[in-house]
Amino acid sequence: MKIICIGRNYADHAEELNNEVPKEPVIFLKPDTALLPPKSPFFIPDFTNDVHHEVELVVRINRVGKHIEERFAHRYYDKISLGIDFTARDVQAACKAKGLPWEKAKAFDGSAPVGDWISIDNKDINNIKIHLLKNGEIVQEGNTSEMLFTVDRLIAEVSKYFTLKIGDLIFTGTPSGVSAVKSNDVLEAFLDDELLLKVRVK
Ligand code: MG
């Protein structure tokens, strides 16, 4: 399986990092080794001093598809969760400054914890509340209605380039409020006030 991630999909987050608001989705990948095993702590890698949390809605693909039309995209997922796109911001800044790819900053082992899966059945994918607590305090808060590109649009865009396969995950971008984590932090991610993911930082 592969993990497809979307950057800068909320205008307020693009602005907090002084990035342009994109005209088309910013897409990058993480390998399956980026998945953090459930209940495992997240260990801050030794190559960075500035790992940020980015809480994101995650969609799991349940059918094979290529060149999926936006109006049919809803048929390609039925489970959602929350994930954290851990980002070594210092490494990313160095990559960006040189115009290099971001993988070292974004795709390292354990950089993609994902929570419990819930059914999309009773939810409107375009109106889902997300928030993240760090040590019990709200640090990130958003609603999928604020996305620059909807989930269905993202599936259409992504599937122009990559065949989507069963079990592939799409991280759909983070709202504002990203910040550095340190050892002993506890992150808790909520979807419509339901706790789906808890990660301890080591
Ligand atoms: Mg992200």
Side-chain angles (χ1 to χ4, degrees):
M1 55 82 70
K2 56 190 175 290
I3 304 169
I4 299 155
C5 301
I6 307 302
R8 304 173 192 168
N9 199 24
Y10 291 78
D12 57 356
H13 171 64
E15 283 160 15
E16 75 178 341
L17 294 184
N18 294 317
N19 288 319
E20 244 175 69
V21 173
K23 293 189 179 59
E24 59 182 273
V26 174
I27 299 170
F28 58 95
L29 301 179
K30 299 192 190 220
D32 57 5
T33 43
L35 284 175
L36 186 67
K39 316 289 182 205
S40 295
F42 170 75
F43 289 91
I44 297 175
D46 56 11
F47 55 75
T48 172
N49 294 308
D50 193 25
V51 174
H52 283 199
H53 55 77
E54 297 189 357
V55 69
E56 311 198 0
L57 178 79
V58 181
V59 172
R60 185 163 66 185
I61 296 298
N62 65 356
R63 295 174 63 176
V64 176
K66 171 88 176 165
H67 292 303
I68 299 163
E69 285 185 50
E70 184 176 341
R71 66 196 167 114
F72 298 130
H74 66 276
R75 299 179 183 173
Y76 288 79
Y77 58 92
D78 55 9
K79 295 273 198 312
I80 56 174
S81 187
L82 294 175
I84 296 177
D85 168 20
F86 277 119
T87 303
R89 197 69 73 199
D90 46 357
V91 176
Q92 186 191 31
C95 292
K96 282 161 106 176
K98 293 180 187 163
L100 294 173
W102 298 354
E103 275 80 358
K104 290 197 292 184
K106 284 283 198 181
F108 54 87
D109 287 359
S111 63
V114 178
D116 298 329
W117 293 99
I118 59 171
S119 166
I120 190 68
D121 286 351
N122 299 313
K123 302 208 177 274
D124 173 0
I125 193 79
N126 298 315
N127 184 19
I128 288 173
K129 278 193 300 177
I130 296 169
H131 73 270
L132 182 73
L133 302 184
K134 182 163 79 171
N135 306 325
E137 290 190 14
I138 291 196
V139 285
Q140 291 194 263
E141 208 170 8
N143 189 300
T144 57
S145 63
E146 299 156 6
M147 286 181 170
L148 297 170
F149 304 99
T150 64
V151 168
D152 290 354
R153 173 79 190 280
L154 292 174
I155 287 172
E157 290 288 332
V158 163
S159 69
K160 288 180 188 172
Y161 303 93
F162 311 114
T163 298
L164 296 181
K165 296 176 77 174
I166 296 167
D168 287 350
L169 305 183
I170 303 180
F171 276 59
T172 59
T174 197
S176 63
V178 302
S179 67
V181 296
K182 59 184 188 331
S183 190
N184 297 321
D185 280 349
V186 176
L187 301 173
E188 294 169 295
F190 294 79
L191 188 153
D192 286 342
D193 298 322
E194 184 179 355
L195 177 65
L196 294 187
L197 174 64
K198 182 172 182 172
V199 181
R200 289 174 191 283
V201 179
K202 298 282 182 190

